Structures are given as structure tokens and as C-alpha cells.
Amino acid sequence: MRFLPGLKYLCKEFSSDIARKTSPVCGRLCTTQWMRSCSRTSESTKEGNQDSMMLKHLISKIKSTGPISVAEYMREVLTNPVTGYYQHRDVLGPQGDFITSPEISQIFGELLGVWCISEWMAAGKPKTFQLVELGPGRGTLASDTLRVFSQLHSVLKKAEISVHLVEVSPKLSEIQAQLLTKGEPHLLHDPSGTIYKTGVTKTGLPISWYKDLQDVPKGFSFYLAHEFFDVLPIHKFQKTKQGWREILIDIEPKSPGKLRFVLAPHATLASKALIQQRDDDRDHIEICPEAGVIIQNLASRIAEDGGAALVADYGHNGTKTDTFRGFHGHQLHDVLSAPGTADLTADVDFSYLRQVTEGKVTALGPIPQHEFLKNMGVDVRLQVLLRNASDPNTRKGLIDAYDMIMNPEKMGDRFKFFALLPYNRVNSRQDTKTMKCGPTAPPVAGFSELQL
Ligand code: SAH
């Protein structure tokens, strides 16, 4: 057991506040027992129209260009600027299609805030840093993280902090702004501009919105991505006697209003670029090149400017095959039926994310969520909140939420944590003259056992 300098202090310092209101507990997992309590309300006519517009759009696209890749299908269905699933609705929570750990328990975002501060201390307390979140949903994780920053202002001293959110959905960015900013955020209509909205957070920090990570200013940053990589478009490949073939989406000939999977008769651009010579025991593979590009971007930024990235998602280490699925009203949903009405997602392949960093940074994990949160002091935090909560419903809510995010049978094992850190954060450098190694760096919070 190792002691992480500073973490014990951080966990105790922000210990006197009370529980925030929590959502009923149910996740983007398929266990009917948890799902029964949450059912989706009937869809508005506007949404219904948009959804059938999506099917028409896909069918006309396939008619004019031929079968499309699963990646193109996912991109269109989820983020098409006019009819995409994420663009115009609040998809999270009991009334939506799925709920996530930060929505379930405030402790989740708080501990991620502590993680950032712990890494900021380990980096020598730089005077300025950015908090960057990819795919912030309703803004709940950022809100819980920023509350910890505010409570620990005596530790952060005069650090200049700015907040940067990468979000493609106009609707969700509106919900994020409502939760996070004071006063009206400033909408920017310059189409060539990289920022589309700015404001000041309720805790007094400058905050900006972007469509793409590339647009976020460079500088020492903490990057958070929770349930973000699993919605990025994947390509699917099947091993055949002729080699790897890409799985595509076509119109069902017997029923022209429906879609079906087909196998590309020849190598496609994606199969040539991503998988052609691959020797793999699996006969079915999913690859997400967009995730690769984003991880490479994060790795370069961290190597050049410092900081760290924390990715939390469901995923595997290059072992799983077909994980592509849909969620609608907290139920599994056929990925090809009624496109645009359901969330589409695939497990993150962490071995691929690690591989694309090309050794520029140190990659830690993936480790199970319950292990990461335990190491971060989740039990201490729960006890503090329970001590301050006298209402039996609040106490029950806190305990149920803890169980949902920690229980290995629920979200505790399925979700993993993966981090990117500067190379020298965990590998001490050898002095080329004396050949002596530098001082050993403190262990990285969450990835080592913590003694509180
Ligand atoms: N992180 C949140 C929400 C997860 S849902 C949570 O855990 O509660 C996925 C989020 O990613 C949504 O906010 C969605 O609008 C956003 N998103 C999806 N594709 C994106 C893309 N290509 N670029 C930026 N954001 C994206």
C-alpha cells in the first residue's frame, strides 16, 4: 500500500458540503431490473419527423453512392447537423435513453476534480491550466469538478483556470451553459471562428465551447472524456477466406424502407488502410480511426505542453468482437431500425488507443472503475456526504448511487479508466553524464492503491 502525497489532504479539505440532488439510478447497461424504473416519455412530433427524415436521408445516400460504412452510418445518425440524434434533444437521464456515472453520483465528478488537482500538484503547480472536457453531455461532470476546484481554492491558490468544452450538439451545449454559467453566455456567430459560445462559470472562470478538439488553445491542460469515445464512428471488419472484408450498410431489397448489413465484395479504402495485413485470432474487429486521431492529438498536446488526459468508458483491451449496439429508453435497440431515435455506441478498444500514442506519453490503465474510484477515496467521500445528510431519502439515494457506479456487477467493472500523462511523469529520466536516475515521481492518483 502506498501513500499518495497530497491526496489525503485534498479528500479531507472538501469534506464539509452536502449532497446534490441525484437522478434515479439506471445506466447505459442492459439489466432489466435497473431499467424498469425508467421509461422514455412519448416522443414529440418534431422528433418523430426528424427521425423519419434520417431514414429517408440514409436511403437516398445509399441509392446514390452505394452501401455505406458503419462509420458513415454512425456519424450521420449521431451527429448530422440537421437530423443527428445528439443535435436537438436531451438524451440523458430518466426521460432520455441512457444515464451516466456523473449523472448518477456527484462523487464521480468530484473525484475527477481531485485527480486533476493531484496531477497539477505533481506537475509543480503551474500558474495557469485549462480544464477541457470532450462530450460533456449535460455538463454535470464539469459542474462537480469545478465545485471541487472552488472548494479547494486555498490549494489552487492563484492558479488561473479556464474551462473549454468540446461539444457538437447545440441542444446539449445550451443545457451545459444553463448549468455552468452565470448570466447569459455569449453566442458567437462568426462561421470562421473556432469558439461558438463563451461565458463565465458560476465559480467565476472563463468558459468556451468548440466543435473540435483541434480548436481548443494549446497549453497545460487536463482533458476529461467520459462516455465520449464510445459514440465515435467505428468501422467493422469480418475475416473471410478472401481476407478481411468491411461490413457495410445497404437497403434491404425485400423491404426498401429498411436497412441491412452486407459484406463488401472487395477491399474498401478503410479495410486497406486499417486492417489489410492484420493477423488476429478474432474473426470480427471494430476500429475507430477518429478515436485514434483524437488520442494522437491529446498525446502531442500533453507531450508538448504538459497536463494529462483521463478517459473513462466501457471497453476492452483488443479482445472483443461485435459490440455495436443501440439504446433507446434505457433498453437495447436494434442499431438499424428507426435510425436517429436511439443512441449508437461501441466498446472502446483501449489497446488501440495505447498503440496510437506511439510512446509519446505514458498510458496508464485501463483499470476497472471501482478500482480507480476506490483508490481515489470514494468511501471516505461517501461517508462525509452521509454524515451531512439527515433525510432518509437523500441517504438512500447516495448509497444506491454508490452501489450503481461501484458494484462490479453494475457499472464498477464494465467501465474502465485510462490515462495519458507526460512521459517523465512516471518514468524518471536518467542523467546522461552521471547515468543516475532522477528522483522517483509520486504515484499517479487512482492508478495506485491509496492509504487515507
Ligand atoms: N460525458 C457525458 C455525456 C456522454 S454522451 C456524460 O458522461 O454524462 C456523449 C457526448 O458526446 C454528448 O455530449 C454528445 O453530444 C457528445 N458528442 C458526440 N459526438 C461528438 C463529437 N464528434 N465531438 C464532440 N462531442 C460529441
Side-chain angles (χ1 to χ4, degrees):
M1 224 181 233
R2 289 194 281 176
F3 172 64
L4 302 177
L7 195 55
K8 179 180 176 184
Y9 174 70
L10 295 178
C11 283
K12 290 205 165 160
E13 266 292 281
F14 82 108
S15 60
S16 58
D17 63 328
I18 50 160
R20 85 161 192 227
K21 211 168 156 282
T22 51
S23 306
V25 169
C26 60
R28 183 151 59 172
L29 296 170
C30 194
T31 301
T32 38
Q33 195 194 349
W34 309 331
M35 294 185 314
R36 254 180 234 127
S37 61
C38 312
S39 65
R40 190 172 159 81
T41 50
S42 61
E43 304 212 306
S44 69
T45 321
K46 191 173 160 218
E47 276 183 12
N49 288 343
Q50 271 169 356
D51 301 335
S52 61
M53 266 168 65
M54 172 59 75
L55 182 61
K56 279 192 197 134
H57 166 67
L58 291 165
I59 287 177
S60 84
K61 199 176 177 72
I62 296 171
K63 276 185 181 157
S64 59
T65 64
I68 55 172
S69 67
V70 174
E72 193 169 355
Y73 178 77
M74 266 182 103
R75 193 174 297 112
E76 283 298 326
V77 171
L78 295 182
T79 56
N80 176 294
V82 183
T83 48
Y85 169 79
Y86 279 110
Q87 299 298 317
H88 306 288
R89 60 183 110 190
D90 181 4
V91 295
L92 286 125
Q95 309 301 320
D97 292 321
F98 61 95
I99 191 163
T100 58
S101 293
E103 296 292 331
I104 292 169
S105 170
Q106 71 184 79
I107 302 179
F108 191 88
E110 290 171 348
L111 294 180
L112 266 53
V114 171
W115 190 85
C116 295
I117 297 177
S118 165
E119 280 308 301
W120 172 77
M121 290 165 83
K125 306 184 181 178
K127 206 175 158 324
T128 54
F129 74 85
Q130 309 187 131
L131 177 72
V132 183
E133 190 182 350
L134 308 177
R138 280 179 167 172
T140 310
L141 171 59
S143 165
D144 291 337
T145 302
L146 292 176
R147 193 175 55 253
V148 170
F149 286 3
S150 164
Q151 284 169 346
L152 288 175
H153 61 92
S154 61
V155 178
L156 287 164
K157 300 243 165 57
K158 292 197 170 73
E160 282 168 30
I161 307 171
S162 54
V163 185
H164 306 262
L165 302 183
V166 180
E167 175 58 76
V168 283
S169 161
K171 177 71 186 174
L172 287 173
S173 78
E174 218 176 280
I175 296 171
Q176 291 152 18
Q178 270 166 21
L179 180 68
L180 296 169
T181 60
K182 61 177 170 207
E184 284 292 303
H186 186 55
L187 293 175
L188 304 167
H189 295 292
D190 171 13
S192 61
T194 55
I195 300 175
Y196 66 89
K197 190 158 36 185
T198 58
V200 176
T201 69
K202 286 179 181 158
T203 55
L205 307 177
I207 182 168
S208 312
W209 277 261
Y210 313 77
K211 299 264 183 221
D212 200 306
L213 171 64
Q214 281 189 24
D215 299 331
V216 175
K218 297 214 169 143
F220 186 100
S221 306
F222 293 108
Y223 302 91
L224 302 179
H226 182 258
E227 289 216 36
F228 167 73
F229 281 97
D230 68 280
V231 300
L232 298 181
I234 52 154
H235 287 271
K236 283 169 91 64
F237 302 99
Q238 181 72 39
K239 202 187 262 172
T240 70
K241 286 190 182 125
Q242 293 76 42
W244 289 100
R245 288 285 179 265
E246 184 164 10
I247 294 173
L248 304 174
I249 293 171
D250 197 1
I251 300 163
E252 171 69 67
K254 287 188 204 124
S255 174
K258 284 194 173 158
L259 301 171
R260 63 166 184 162
F261 288 113
V262 293
L263 216 48
H266 308 289
T268 57
L269 268 180
S271 64
K272 282 184 202 157
L274 299 170
I275 200 166
Q276 205 172 25
Q277 300 300 330
R278 184 153 174 162
D279 186 19
D280 202 297
D281 290 344
R282 291 172 292 172
D283 57 8
H284 187 115
I285 288 186
E286 295 169 340
I287 300 180
C288 182
E290 211 167 295
V293 170
I294 293 174
I295 288 288
Q296 278 174 344
N297 189 341
L298 290 175
S300 305
R301 282 167 174 256
I302 292 167
E304 282 159 29
D305 304 308
L310 195 57
V311 174
D313 226 309
Y314 38 61
H316 58 92
N317 240 334
T319 50
K320 286 202 181 172
T321 53
D322 182 7
T323 70
F324 184 37
R325 59 204 180 282
F327 283 93
H328 175 78
H330 302 267
Q331 307 273 1
L332 273 175
H333 177 93
D334 175 1
V335 287
L336 296 187
S337 95
T341 63
D343 186 27
L344 298 179
T345 162
D347 279 20
V348 174
D349 180 350
F350 289 105
S351 67
Y352 175 67
L353 302 194
R354 177 186 289 273
Q355 183 198 326
V356 296
T357 64
E358 294 169 336
K360 274 189 206 153
V361 288
T362 297
L364 296 183
I367 62 165
Q369 173 159 304
H370 70 91
E371 208 174 301
F372 178 87
L373 295 178
K374 194 99 181 164
N375 290 341
M376 287 302 303
V378 67
D379 294 308
V380 176
R381 184 68 186 136
L382 176 68
Q383 289 315 318
V384 169
L385 289 172
L386 286 173
R387 218 169 32 237
N388 294 336
S390 50
D391 169 43
N393 282 338
T394 308
R395 293 176 68 83
K396 183 174 179 321
L398 286 168
I399 292 166
D400 287 352
Y402 171 94
D403 182 58
M404 186 65 178
I405 62 169
M406 287 295 286
N407 189 331
E409 312 251 293
K410 296 181 181 172
M411 294 165 106
D413 203 36
R414 191 124 162 56
F415 283 80
K416 315 279 188 224
F417 274 77
F418 175 80
L420 302 179
L421 297 139
Y423 182 77
N424 60 0
R425 170 65 180 87
V426 275
N427 305 289
S428 54
R429 292 228 186 264
Q430 202 172 27
D431 188 307
T432 44
K433 279 189 191 146
T434 62
M435 295 311 278
K436 281 188 186 157
C437 283
T440 323
V444 178
F447 291 86
S448 318
E449 214 173 306
L450 161 73
Q451 190 180 27
L452 279 170

